[in-house]
Amino acid sequence: MTEQRLFFILAMDQRDSIEEKLYGLDGAPTPEQAADIAANKLLVYRGLQDALPSLPEGVRPGFLVDEQYGASPAVLAAADERVALAMPLEASGQQWFDFEFGTAWREHAGFFGADHPKVLVRDNPGLDVEERAQQAFKVAQIAGWAAEQNLEFIVELLVPATDDDLARVDGDQDRYDREVRPDLTVSAMEFLQDHGVDPAIWKIEGLAERADAERVAATARRGDRTGRCIVLGRHAPQEQLDEWLRVAAPVEGFAGFAIGRSNWWDALEGRRSGDLDEAGARRLVAEHYTHYVRTYLEARGA
């Protein structure tokens, strides 16, 4: 994938959140429930496939899916030259990054032939510096391995507010996102970079101002780095997500998005309730995904 090629990932690597929030589980799923989750991951991938004919030339669709429930779509995506496969290496639902597969992470990272190993990192300059450094050390191991393997490593960076951050904005999450998080994001990226984490792609929370998007994109390319950024969805309402995409799309250094639940949550809720059949659920996934692609391209002037 070249610098100019836009990259639009349909993210379906959620595990804990699907078990707890979509299925309402408070323990391990039964074999039947696990099979149903896996079937829904395949359904979402089929929805992406349904959208492919409507995509313009010059864009790269991607599918981000986990090994636990997504082995079937992972195999299909790896065999489809139209789709880039991304797979996570982090244990789901942890505050600090840890390897899903322990010391065997390299074997798992290479098993499906994924183009993009990915990790989720939660970081904030206000958190414990030793914990932050230990986390960065682990992630840097993947960054170095991916570079050796000529793979494009993705770091998904979430910057949750500390109590002190929220106190600065009277507890208002929207104000935190607009007024505080951009500076913290830049600082967190610099900390990770200074500790050996240099991904090809930064998956970044949406930004409300173009100047902030420009600073984040410049940070990804700090020094002689060549990183680029994509916008993550964070299960935001469509109006909010459209705003984030419109802000980022025209900025040099932003190259697409990785959106998950905003694409497929309603479809899977409808499928589970019986309000949608499989064809209807796939159609809804394809419609949402195509909407975000078009929103991004229109904002970019493509």
Side-chain angles (χ1 to χ4, degrees):
M1 184 174 61
T2 66
E3 174 71 19
Q4 293 74 32
R5 198 170 192 188
L6 298 178
F7 194 23
F8 299 120
I9 299 175
L10 200 166
M12 224 309 179
D13 61 322
Q14 292 81 356
R15 284 149 283 167
D16 281 8
S17 62
I18 287 179
E19 292 172 356
E20 297 169 8
K21 297 178 181 178
L22 187 63
Y23 281 76
L25 304 179
D26 56 8
T30 65
E32 292 78 11
Q33 290 166 332
D36 194 52
I37 295 172
N40 279 328
K41 298 234 175 192
L42 181 58
L43 182 155
V44 171
Y45 178 69
R46 295 298 192 192
L48 172 64
Q49 288 187 311
D50 293 342
L52 295 184
S54 67
L55 299 182
E57 293 185 8
V59 305
R60 179 68 161 157
F63 194 65
L64 170 59
V65 72
D66 57 288
E67 179 176 329
Q68 180 180 0
Y69 294 120
S72 292
V75 169
L76 293 173
D80 190 337
E81 63 182 14
R82 300 172 299 172
V83 179
L85 174 62
M87 299 191 76
L89 295 175
E90 76 274 0
S92 184
Q94 305 296 310
Q95 178 180 357
W96 296 100
F97 169 80
D98 204 358
F99 295 101
E100 171 76 4
F101 307 107
T103 58
W105 65 265
R106 292 173 183 83
E107 290 80 2
H108 285 267
F111 183 80
F112 289 90
D115 308 285
H116 302 277
K118 168 261 177 185
V119 300
L120 168 63
V121 173
R122 294 178 176 88
D123 196 16
N124 183 306
L127 298 176
D128 182 82
V129 68
E130 291 187 7
E131 295 274 19
R132 298 181 69 206
Q134 290 173 11
Q135 173 172 256
F137 174 76
K138 293 177 181 179
V139 178
Q141 294 179 57
I142 303 174
W145 172 83
E148 292 173 357
Q149 301 297 315
N150 199 29
L151 299 173
E152 291 194 315
F153 180 39
I154 300 174
V155 168
E156 176 181 0
L157 177 61
L158 299 182
V159 186
T162 65
D163 291 342
D164 288 342
D165 294 332
L166 289 176
R168 294 169 56 187
V169 292
D170 300 321
D172 188 324
Q173 180 67 43
D174 289 338
R175 283 187 59 199
Y176 167 75
D177 282 336
R178 287 179 172 270
E179 300 172 21
V180 180
R181 178 164 54 78
D183 287 342
L184 299 181
T185 299
V186 169
S187 180
M189 292 173 69
E190 291 176 345
F191 181 89
L192 290 165
Q193 289 171 334
D194 291 343
H195 286 76
V197 179
D198 282 313
I201 300 171
W202 292 91
K203 186 180 172 189
I204 297 293
E205 295 173 275
L207 298 157
E209 302 293 337
R210 175 164 179 160
D212 291 327
E214 290 172 344
R215 287 194 300 129
V216 167
T219 304
R221 296 173 292 169
R222 184 166 67 111
D224 60 355
R225 296 174 176 87
T226 59
R228 56 199 185 280
C229 300
I230 57 178
V231 180
L232 62 83
R234 214 174 71 179
H235 202 181
Q238 187 174 95
E239 182 179 353
Q240 176 69 78
L241 190 44
D242 284 349
E243 177 188 353
W244 288 343
L245 296 179
R246 292 184 182 116
V247 168
V251 174
E252 183 180 358
F254 271 85
F257 63 66
I259 298 173
R261 290 168 293 178
S262 300
N263 278 316
W264 49 258
W265 192 270
D266 291 345
L268 295 193
E269 280 195 328
R271 187 78 180 103
R272 284 180 48 75
S273 69
D275 292 336
L276 290 174
D277 60 12
E278 181 174 344
R282 284 173 54 170
R283 184 165 53 251
L284 190 58
V285 170
E287 288 173 354
H288 285 172
Y289 175 78
T290 303
H291 166 84
Y292 292 123
V293 171
R294 289 174 177 169
T295 298
Y296 194 99
L297 292 176
E298 288 171 2
R300 192 177 176 90

